Amino acid sequence: MKSLHKVLLAAAMTLACGSAFAADKLRIGTEGAYPPFNLIDASGKVVGFDLDIAHALCAKMEVECEVVTSDWDGIIPALNANKFDFIIASMSITDEREQAVDFTKPYYTNKLQFVAPKSSDFKTDKESLDGKVIGAQRATIAGTWLEENLGDVVDIKLYDTQENAYLDLASGRLDGVLADKFVQWEWLKSETGKDFEFKGEPVFDNDKIGIAVREGNDELRERLNAALDEIVADGTYKQINDKYFPFSIY
């Protein structure tokens, strides 16, 4: 009877925890300065591909979610300080970050590619890039790639936001920018980006993007994984994808 009592008590606690999880509000952490994935619109609302995916996942998990923004440099510390429950901000899954957080399975795959003025003879081999001034966002895989592969020949300028890198590129203070291809693609469609273009082929084409949770939060990570599988299977993911891109990024 004692063993049975323990089993019944454990089952009751499991049900209670499940009910509590379903009723809880989850806080989505994002940057809000990385269009088209996350940005703040004219009304002050945080929108974009990342947020549409996040809200679709919350709907599948049957939880209420609110959005909290954070500067990119401090977004992982903010997660670990319990400022929000998970990060969905186009974050690359890297070995270094996996020392601080746990990731879901990837929700899309990106590539790194240069953009530069259409009028420039910008080649992407190391010899041709010698002496060039190249921009990237700080604490990103693009910045890390530049430092590891071109740090000895290129003058690297790192920025707090991708938007500020583009401002310097448009004003002529940079020869080129290295960033995620899909972010570059969005900027090239803008008025300020119309005189620029992709240069060369992607320098890295297996940039896996995941959702970060605090280390050890396996329950939330697995619920997010299950919800991601659901939105892919039922077509919700494709609807969101097609809203932003004329090609699949999954």
Side-chain angles (χ1 to χ4, degrees):
M1 290 296 293
K2 187 174 181 181
S3 297
L4 178 60
H5 176 72
K6 287 183 176 180
V7 169
L8 292 173
L9 180 61
M13 289 179 66
T14 299
L15 288 171
C17 288
S19 298
F21 186 97
D24 284 347
K25 177 183 286 187
L26 292 177
R27 295 159 299 165
I28 303 164
T30 196
E31 182 188 14
Y34 203 65
F37 293 96
N38 56 82
L39 64 152
I40 299 173
D41 69 11
S43 70
K45 182 180 179 182
V46 189
V47 297
F49 177 89
D50 288 336
L51 281 305
D52 286 358
I53 293 292
H55 289 305
L57 298 177
C58 289
K60 291 297 183 185
M61 295 188 293
E62 299 183 339
V63 293
E64 184 181 353
C65 287
E66 64 175 348
V67 180
V68 180
T69 58
S70 170
D71 290 340
W72 179 254
D73 288 351
I75 201 166
I76 286 180
L79 172 68
N80 288 329
N82 200 32
K83 298 293 178 64
F84 28 80
D85 299 296
F86 63 94
I87 297 170
I88 183 162
S90 291
M91 182 174 284
S92 301
I93 301 171
T94 67
D95 292 340
E96 181 181 4
R97 289 179 179 141
E98 287 184 316
Q99 302 303 309
V101 298
D102 289 338
F103 283 100
T104 63
K105 64 179 67 177
Y107 67 100
Y108 75 92
T109 301
N110 216 324
K111 306 174 182 183
L112 297 181
Q113 194 163 5
F114 287 101
V115 297
K118 291 178 179 179
S119 59
S120 69
D121 183 23
F122 187 100
K123 295 183 173 61
T124 60
D125 59 283
K126 191 169 184 177
E127 184 178 359
S128 298
L129 288 170
D130 191 6
K132 298 288 189 186
V133 184
I134 306 296
Q137 187 175 4
R138 186 184 303 115
T140 64
I141 196 169
T144 299
W145 190 93
L146 284 174
E147 291 171 338
E148 291 180 350
N149 293 275
L150 297 173
D152 57 336
V153 298
V154 166
D155 182 4
I156 302 169
K157 302 293 186 185
L158 299 178
Y159 296 83
D160 56 344
T161 69
Q162 189 65 41
E163 292 170 337
N164 284 337
Y166 288 140
L167 285 174
D168 270 9
L169 178 63
S171 65
R173 287 189 285 269
L174 296 174
D175 294 305
V177 162
L178 182 67
D180 291 343
K181 180 173 183 175
F182 302 137
V183 171
Q184 306 269 51
W185 177 81
E186 179 73 8
W187 183 72
L188 292 174
K189 297 190 301 176
S190 69
E191 182 64 25
T192 53
K194 66 181 181 180
D195 294 325
F196 299 82
E197 65 184 0
F198 285 116
K199 299 291 188 177
E201 295 299 315
V203 298
F204 180 67
D205 63 1
N206 196 33
D207 182 13
K208 299 296 184 183
I209 309 299
I211 301 167
V213 301
R214 283 184 290 279
E215 279 191 305
N217 195 347
D218 294 337
E219 180 189 9
L220 178 55
R221 181 170 57 85
E222 290 310 315
R223 288 180 72 98
L224 287 164
N225 278 334
L228 178 58
D229 287 342
E230 288 185 54
I231 67 169
V232 170
D234 71 9
T236 302
Y237 185 100
K238 185 178 186 303
Q239 289 178 352
I240 296 170
N241 184 111
D242 293 352
K243 176 180 173 182
Y244 295 93
F245 306 103
F247 43 79
S248 174
I249 69 170
Y250 183 61

